[in-house]
Amino acid sequence: MYSSVVRLQNTFGFFTTVAFVVASLVSLSDFLSARTPTVDLLKTTSLQVVKGRPHYYSSKKEEYAIIKFSLDADLSSLFTWNTKQVFVYVTAEWPSLGSQNNTNQAVIWDKIITAPSSDHLANIGPIERKRLKKSAGGKPIDPSRGKLQLKNQRYKYQITHPSGRIASQEDVVLKLHYNVQPWVGILTWNQEQTWGKWQALKGAASKKFALPALKKKDEGKKNKTTRT
Amino acid sequence: MLSSLGSPRQAAAQLMNFGLILSTAFMMWKGLSVITDSPSPIVVVLSGSMEPAFQRGDLLLLWNRNVIEETSVGEIVVYNVQGKDIPIVHRIIRKFGTGPEAKLLTKGDNNPADDTELYAAGQDYLNRKDIIGSVVGYIPFVGYVTIMLSEHPWMKTAMLGIMGLVVVLQRE
């Protein structure tokens, strides 16, 4: 009794210690790999504001903006052996009346980019999964997935405002953000400043633009969100 | 084996030992709670709505202080819906306004629609006070033990029994 219980305890204790140390080292290794994300292009290609019900559960008609944009970014340096997925998202940001800061933020488009090592976890159909796995060519890390080239990309989420009004809003910008989610360790986002080997994401904001005036349009039936 | 129960002094010492282990664990949890300012600084993922990043049984470390900046769009937060007891882990996708009155909308990365339908009746947005922390760290699998324990109550009883036995029967 004495020896077997104690041995079991010691074995389990040693196992947890080793697992903890290995996990810590893996997560610390993130700081050793350089991150040099760049954005070459982010601009709107089409703007529209219509009035209707943006969702089937919307209780009232409201104005909502639909935006198409083009994006050219290289996030390939974010893919390391500890990267499980990179979540990329584009927000629209605009100030409130009488405020200088962008106090309104809304995600208009996002994308989960899995690392090849987590392809089997992605929520996609079997054909798409096969295609995705094939695209990695058997490599466990595939930085080429971080290269984003979108032309005239349709929004995924239309923008609304609690006030119900958004037409003719001025000083709107689009911004690209990312969130690196690891296999173990801390979650990281795009940075304003450079820390160590991780460079700030520069040029992530589009030029300021104004939303157009309200365009009369019948209902939001055609506005199904795309699920890519 | 039963000899340890013979001496009242030794039995009392072992009871103390058991109590000490329990209270240490409790104080560590509460200490972490004070540091992170979150009622529940470590949570276990219960659903697949943030897959593939977070799966059932993964452990999330939370932080609930706004030292540098406000909780904003893109952060993954754990929130409680008024009147419901289950904490939900989702990402903030919209924020209107600033300060404690800012209106926040969340969505699971893996869900097609935002969380409007998960909120309480008549509630369209969350406020900062509904949030019990933002996810800062991630440890896979470890939390699966608690899911097993809560789904199979007999395991809980068995585990407590074994732990108690080991502590009581252990000799110095």
Side-chain angles (χ1 to χ4, degrees):
Chain A
M1 178 77 191
Y2 172 79
S3 57
S4 54
V5 166
V6 169
R7 271 185 201 149
L8 208 68
Q9 273 185 336
N10 287 347
T11 313
F12 185 71
F14 185 64
F15 170 75
T16 47
T17 312
V18 170
F20 182 77
V21 170
V22 169
S24 311
L25 289 176
V26 168
S27 71
L28 285 175
S29 74
D30 283 356
F31 296 100
L32 300 176
S33 53
R35 287 184 180 179
T36 52
T38 54
V39 184
D40 295 325
L41 173 77
L42 177 56
K43 63 168 191 186
T44 57
T45 51
S46 132
L47 299 167
Q48 217 176 36
V49 177
V50 290
K51 191 162 186 173
R53 292 176 212 277
H55 307 287
Y56 66 90
Y57 49 79
S58 302
S59 51
K60 61 176 177 19
K61 281 193 174 184
E62 56 187 328
E63 294 174 2
Y64 59 90
I66 49 190
I67 296 178
K68 284 185 180 173
F69 63 95
S70 287
L71 171 71
D72 204 340
D74 184 356
L75 306 179
S76 48
S77 58
L78 305 178
F79 288 85
T80 66
W81 70 326
N82 191 27
T83 306
K84 190 173 188 183
Q85 74 168 41
V86 176
F87 185 78
V88 186
Y89 53 107
V90 174
T91 58
E93 310 187 359
W94 67 98
S96 305
L97 268 177
S99 161
Q100 292 297 310
N101 298 327
N102 287 342
T103 52
N104 300 292
Q105 291 179 296
V107 175
I108 62 164
W109 178 86
D110 60 22
K111 186 173 170 44
I112 295 172
I113 308 176
T114 51
S117 51
S118 63
D119 279 350
H120 62 287
L121 302 170
N123 180 26
I124 48 176
I127 297 164
E128 209 179 333
R129 189 189 311 274
K130 216 172 198 173
R131 192 186 54 75
L132 189 64
K133 281 190 172 169
K134 210 173 169 187
S135 74
K139 283 177 292 186
I141 304 163
D142 184 10
S144 68
R145 289 187 184 178
K147 290 201 169 73
L148 293 170
Q149 275 173 331
L150 305 172
K151 279 202 179 70
N152 215 11
Q153 172 68 43
R154 200 180 140 93
Y155 66 94
K156 265 171 98 173
Y157 317 105
Q158 58 288 75
I159 319 173
T160 56
H161 190 269
S163 68
R165 277 189 293 277
I166 198 163
S168 311
Q169 175 66 50
E170 288 180 349
D171 296 335
V172 187
V173 287
L174 294 188
K175 274 186 189 165
L176 178 78
H177 308 254
Y178 62 78
N179 174 207
V180 181
Q181 293 175 269
W183 279 103
V184 63
I186 59 162
L187 277 71
T188 43
W189 278 262
N190 50 299
Q191 303 139 227
E192 304 270 319
Q193 277 109 30
T194 298
W195 303 330
K197 300 188 97 174
W198 295 358
Q199 279 178 22
L201 184 64
K202 288 206 185 76
S206 73
K207 280 191 195 125
K208 280 186 182 176
F209 58 92
L211 291 174
L214 189 61
K215 187 187 173 194
K216 286 281 177 238
K217 196 185 173 191
D218 206 51
E219 271 313 69
K221 271 181 192 155
K222 291 176 202 152
N223 298 311
K224 274 190 286 180
T225 49
T226 49
R227 280 156 205 175
T228 45
Chain B
M1 225 165 101
L2 288 172
S3 62
S4 63
L5 300 175
S7 143
R9 177 181 287 270
Q10 205 179 354
Q14 270 152 354
L15 202 68
M16 279 276 282
N17 197 16
F18 191 53
L20 198 70
I21 291 171
L22 281 185
S23 54
T24 308
F26 183 73
M27 283 317 292
M28 275 167 74
W29 173 256
K30 284 292 167 193
L32 205 60
S33 207
V34 169
I35 293 168
T36 59
D37 193 24
S38 171
S40 175
I42 298 174
V43 295
V44 176
V45 179
L46 296 176
S47 81
S49 58
M50 288 295 281
E51 272 179 358
F54 302 154
Q55 286 137 290
R56 255 166 78 81
D58 293 344
L59 219 59
L60 304 176
L61 313 181
L62 306 186
W63 181 256
N64 198 27
R65 291 181 191 276
N66 293 122
V67 182
I68 303 167
E69 54 184 0
E70 279 187 24
T71 308
S72 64
V73 168
E75 283 183 43
I76 303 168
V77 296
V78 179
Y79 65 90
N80 279 314
V81 176
Q82 297 156 9
K84 288 183 197 166
D85 217 17
I86 308 160
I88 300 172
V89 189
H90 280 175
R91 193 186 297 272
I92 301 182
I93 59 160
R94 282 180 211 178
K95 182 182 180 189
F96 302 112
T98 51
E101 292 304 309
K103 294 181 160 82
L104 306 169
L105 182 70
T106 52
K107 174 184 170 292
D109 291 352
N110 198 21
N111 292 351
D114 61 49
D115 289 353
T116 314
E117 297 193 334
L118 289 179
Y119 299 161
Q123 186 186 18
D124 287 332
Y125 293 97
L126 297 178
N127 290 128
R128 180 65 182 85
K129 64 170 170 30
D130 298 319
I131 290 171
I132 61 170
S134 301
V135 179
V136 289
Y138 169 83
I139 303 166
F141 317 127
V142 181
Y144 213 86
V145 184
T146 63
I147 291 187
M148 295 282 276
L149 290 180
S150 61
E151 281 179 1
H152 308 283
W154 62 268
M155 285 176 96
K156 207 184 269 180
T157 325
M159 203 185 79
L160 275 178
I162 292 169
M163 267 167 60
L165 263 179
V166 166
V167 173
V168 170
L169 296 180
Q170 212 172 39
R171 294 177 210 176
E172 275 89 323

